[in-house]
Amino acid sequence: MKLVVQVKLQPTPQQASALEATLRACNTAASQVAVVARRTGVYRNYDLRKHTYQAIKDDHRLCAQAAQHVIKKVSDSYKTLKANIRAGNLGKPGSKRRRTAETSPVCFRWDAAQPYDARMLSWQHDVRTVSIWTVDGRLKGVGITGSPDQLKAVATVPVGECDLVHRDGMWFLYAGVEVAELPTYEPDGFLGVDMGIANIAYDSDGNRHTGTRLNGYRRRQLRLRARLQRKATKSARRLLARRRKKEARHSANVNHRIAKTIVTEAARTGRGIAVEKLTGIRDRVRLRKPQRVTLSSWSFHQLGAFLTYKARRAGVPLVQVDPRYTSQTCNQCGHRDKRNRPDQETFTCRSCGVVAHADHNAALNIAQRGVEDWGASQSPARGLISQPARKRDLQAWPFRAG
């Protein structure tokens, strides 16, 4: 499987100046190509080369590989723009925003990422340096640093295409690497995971990863940003810029830890992981205005992505199940009623009287659906998992009230 590894560059002031000039030249050329593409209506990579390759190579001092990567970057950006328009992400047909997106050429920031391949970039792992192409010539001996795992990844496995990134005054290489993944085993049941806002993740074993601290942290950051924006001084703007991605990094770290814990537990017990398929939930849910910020900052997609790639690396089966009515259905008797959940935390079955934490009950339902979906996805020769087998699998997951 392919992973992206972040490696930090440590250039000298002269090297940093050359890297900045390179990004400026490449992105100026990309904006020029985008104008030609919009004017001629040619967006395919190889067709666009006929119109722009020689011009940007001569005008912006680009080598052949850099010019081709610039053209491909423009082609990919228009492909992404077309997909967003088709999905309705840029407004309804006829809206001002959509008309602008459909008629205006794409524009690139001066520090937008620039792809590099093996002809433009080489690694010297023994001395922890790279040799990288710039418009001022080849830079040799540019220092690199990173965590031991990151440096080991780029040193021991084949490195594919890299992106040169300038962010917050620092330089990075985002390297795509191919890492081995363990073969997927046959699961002995499933660990259901209910994702939410009050509880980031609640599994069918009763383990809860509460969101109290993270939600409090987000509220504090929101208040601080509002205070700095009202102040509007130069120092306040400088502090806002420094804190710009602090909350996102903190949230990603929390999701990484939760995903690692869940995948480790599933692998230790020989089970798979079952999660809800929450695609489009923000469009389906209608909330009051004070709750919209909380819903928008809910990073369930990121947690799901972390669970997916960590499970693939560990060989743990992962299935996405239908999330409908998992919080309203009793895990013991199967009775479904929206009155079964009188509040956010409590589940009380009106048929059999079971009382439990609502998220734990939902996680048990997700685990059961994982068993059913896994059986349905197997080959016809194997058939569906029988009802007695499902009950036997679910006996390994103790139901804990409260």
Side-chain angles (χ1 to χ4, degrees), residues 269-312:
T269 56
R271 289 178 288 177
I273 299 173
V275 297
E276 298 170 290
K277 188 176 182 180
L278 297 175
T279 304
I281 189 171
R282 290 193 177 97
D283 298 327
R284 298 194 302 267
V285 176
R286 295 291 180 267
L287 296 174
R288 293 175 297 175
K289 190 172 182 179
Q291 298 173 310
R292 292 173 191 168
V293 174
T294 302
L295 180 66
S296 297
S297 62
W298 180 25
S299 54
F300 65 89
H301 182 272
Q302 185 184 70
L303 177 57
F306 289 168
L307 280 170
T308 299
Y309 94 81
K310 291 179 189 294
R312 284 185 61 189

Side-chain angles (χ1 to χ4, degrees), residues 33-305:
V33 173
V35 171
V36 174
R38 182 65 84 187
R39 186 179 67 245
T40 60
V42 176
Y43 301 106
R44 291 184 68 250
N45 179 22
Y46 292 101
D47 294 338
L48 196 53
R49 288 184 187 178
K50 301 175 184 177
H51 296 271
T52 59
Y53 171 75
Q54 196 62 46
I56 64 171
K57 183 180 175 184
D58 296 339
D59 295 345
H60 302 283
R61 298 184 298 156
L62 303 184
C63 68
Q65 289 299 110
Q68 293 182 23
H69 282 303
V70 163
I71 297 170
K72 185 177 185 302
K73 181 167 70 171
V74 173
S75 177
D76 291 343
S77 68
Y78 276 115
K79 189 181 299 182
T80 302
L81 178 63
K82 185 177 179 181
N84 282 325
I85 293 174
R86 190 185 304 117
N89 297 332
L90 297 175
K92 298 179 181 179
S95 65
K96 182 178 179 181
R97 184 185 180 193
R98 180 158 177 169
R99 287 199 310 269
T100 302
E102 290 173 336
T103 57
S104 302
V106 174
C107 186
F108 293 84
R109 304 185 318 272
W110 77 264
D111 58 349
Q114 173 63 21
Y116 274 73
D117 58 22
R119 296 184 182 183
M120 305 164 64
L121 175 71
S122 60
W123 303 77
Q124 293 79 45
H125 300 294
D126 52 343
V127 292
R128 291 190 179 180
T129 62
V130 294
S131 172
I132 186 169
W133 171 85
T134 69
V135 291
D136 295 333
R138 190 103 177 175
L139 295 182
K140 298 182 179 180
V142 181
I144 60 173
T145 186
S147 69
D149 290 340
Q150 291 169 334
L151 295 176
K152 180 181 178 181
V154 296
T156 57
V157 298
V159 179
E161 188 174 277
C162 302
D163 284 343
L164 176 65
V165 177
H166 180 258
R167 188 181 70 239
D168 299 331
M170 297 176 288
W171 294 91
F172 298 93
L173 284 173
Y174 286 1
V177 298
E178 287 287 342
V179 297
E181 53 183 287
L182 297 177
T184 303
Y185 55 78
E186 182 66 25
D188 183 18
F190 275 82
L191 180 67
V193 180
D194 178 66
M195 293 185 286
I197 297 175
N199 294 307
I200 302 175
Y202 206 130
D203 66 32
S204 53
D205 284 349
N207 300 313
R208 174 168 55 177
H209 303 275
T210 179
T212 304
R213 294 184 64 182
L214 179 58
N215 292 331
Y217 176 84
R218 283 174 171 157
R219 287 192 293 270
R220 289 194 300 274
Q221 296 299 313
L222 181 62
R223 290 195 299 268
L224 178 59
R225 286 197 298 269
R227 202 159 57 239
L228 291 172
Q229 287 167 355
R230 284 195 301 269
K231 197 169 185 179
T233 62
K234 186 176 180 179
S235 60
R237 288 194 294 270
R238 188 163 56 244
L239 183 57
L240 275 172
R242 285 205 302 268
R243 303 183 68 87
R244 182 164 50 96
K245 297 182 180 179
K246 186 174 182 180
E247 181 181 332
R249 290 195 299 268
H250 180 79
S251 300
N253 183 54
V254 171
N255 284 334
H256 267 300
R257 295 202 307 267
I258 293 173
K260 185 176 181 180
T261 301
I262 293 171
V263 171
T264 301
E265 178 63 19
R268 185 185 68 83
T269 56
R271 289 178 288 177
I273 299 173
V275 297
E276 298 170 290
K277 188 176 182 180
L278 297 175
T279 304
I281 189 171
R282 290 193 177 97
D283 298 327
R284 298 194 302 267
V285 176
R286 295 291 180 267
L287 296 174
R288 293 175 297 175
K289 190 172 182 179
Q291 298 173 310
R292 292 173 191 168
V293 174
T294 302
L295 180 66
S296 297
S297 62
W298 180 25
S299 54
F300 65 89
H301 182 272
Q302 185 184 70
L303 177 57

